[in-house]
Amino acid sequence: MRTKSRKLMTAKEFMIAYPEENLRKYELIDGVVYKYLSPYTIHQEILGFLSLKLYEPMKKEKTKYFMSLPVDVYLFDEGKEDECNTVVQPDAFVCDKNKIRENGCFGSPDFAVEVIGKATVEIDYDIKLNKYITSGIKEYWIINPNSRRILKYLFTEDKKINSAEIFNFGDKVKISVLDDFEIDFTQFSSEF
């Protein structure tokens, strides 16, 4: 759901206009504010599963950092942080440790995951996909709990789609940016 803005906002204006306690329900993409409903239980179960699978291997990483929602990720062209007009909260992400500050990740993560809900289909499959591509992300997963599928994108250095593959919850899916670390979705179960 899109919240109408009178004018496009910068990240600085967004942080002033939307108090810290409300940030988990708002994102800023290309200057436009988006408001979200609270996620369904299955959404949180999937994030819990991913966090459990990634926690141990990420502890061993010296240069990478793993985080799951809610953490702000500021996307901007290199050297143009002051012109930032996009602040998103991927459901989970991995980035270089040097991009982490007290109030979020500054710059494109290497890997991001979005678990879609009814209200985020267009945003996750279109708007965020394109924003992640132009920001220089290397890998992006869109997990659909209803179809029990994972859409995995890999991108080239020149910000184009290298590949798009569809997996289901009966597959093992490699995270390419983590030396092909694998998530075995056959181990995921849900009551919903």
Side-chain angles (χ1 to χ4, degrees):
M1 162 192 320
R2 184 184 293 198
T3 302
K4 296 290 181 186
S5 300
R6 289 183 202 170
K7 67 177 189 97
L8 298 179
M9 299 178 87
T10 65
K12 288 179 184 176
E13 293 167 328
F14 174 71
M15 298 311 282
I16 292 168
Y18 293 87
E20 192 173 314
E21 63 270 16
N22 290 328
L23 280 180
R24 68 178 191 83
K25 295 187 179 190
Y26 296 92
E27 290 182 317
L28 179 72
I29 303 174
D30 291 330
V32 177
V33 177
Y34 292 85
K35 182 178 180 182
Y36 299 97
L37 303 172
S38 295
Y40 287 107
T41 304
I42 184 77
H43 179 277
Q44 299 304 90
E45 286 182 323
I46 291 169
L47 286 180
F49 172 75
L50 289 175
S51 294
L52 283 171
K53 295 297 177 188
L54 284 166
Y55 180 75
E56 284 301 319
M58 290 307 301
K59 276 188 356 185
K60 298 172 188 163
E61 280 289 329
K62 302 289 185 219
T63 61
K64 301 287 184 196
Y65 188 86
F66 166 73
M67 186 56 67
S68 60
L69 186 80
V71 174
D72 291 326
V73 174
Y74 296 78
L75 301 177
F76 48 85
D77 292 332
E78 193 169 327
K80 296 187 177 184
E81 184 176 333
D82 289 342
E83 298 172 26
C84 179
N85 67 354
T86 300
V87 182
V88 295
Q89 291 184 345
D91 290 321
F93 69 91
V94 172
C95 70
D96 289 337
K97 283 186 177 178
N98 64 2
K99 293 181 179 180
I100 295 296
R101 298 185 197 159
E102 182 180 355
N103 56 333
C105 172
F106 286 77
S108 181
D110 295 326
F111 167 67
V113 176
E114 296 289 358
V115 180
I116 66 165
K118 291 178 184 175
T120 66
V121 172
E122 176 190 356
I123 293 165
D124 293 337
Y125 278 110
D126 182 25
I127 297 168
K128 280 190 176 180
L129 169 64
N130 288 307
K131 194 64 199 179
Y132 285 139
I133 292 171
T134 60
S135 74
I137 198 169
K138 297 173 184 169
E139 184 169 350
Y140 176 46
W141 290 9
I142 302 172
I143 300 177
N144 185 328
N146 293 329
S147 67
R148 300 179 65 79
R149 292 198 174 154
I150 303 107
L151 176 55
K152 173 185 171 179
Y153 287 100
L154 294 176
F155 305 104
T156 62
E157 291 291 323
D158 58 345
K159 302 178 182 179
K160 295 182 178 155
I161 295 174
N162 182 46
S163 65
E165 296 178 87
I166 297 174
F167 298 90
N168 65 49
F169 284 16
D171 293 326
K172 295 178 180 178
V173 186
K174 290 183 179 181
I175 302 174
S176 302
V177 300
L178 295 177
D179 295 324
D180 291 323
F181 176 78
E182 194 170 73
I183 304 277
D184 184 354
F185 278 90
T186 62
Q187 296 173 350
F188 175 75
S189 64
S190 171
E191 300 295 319
F192 301 95

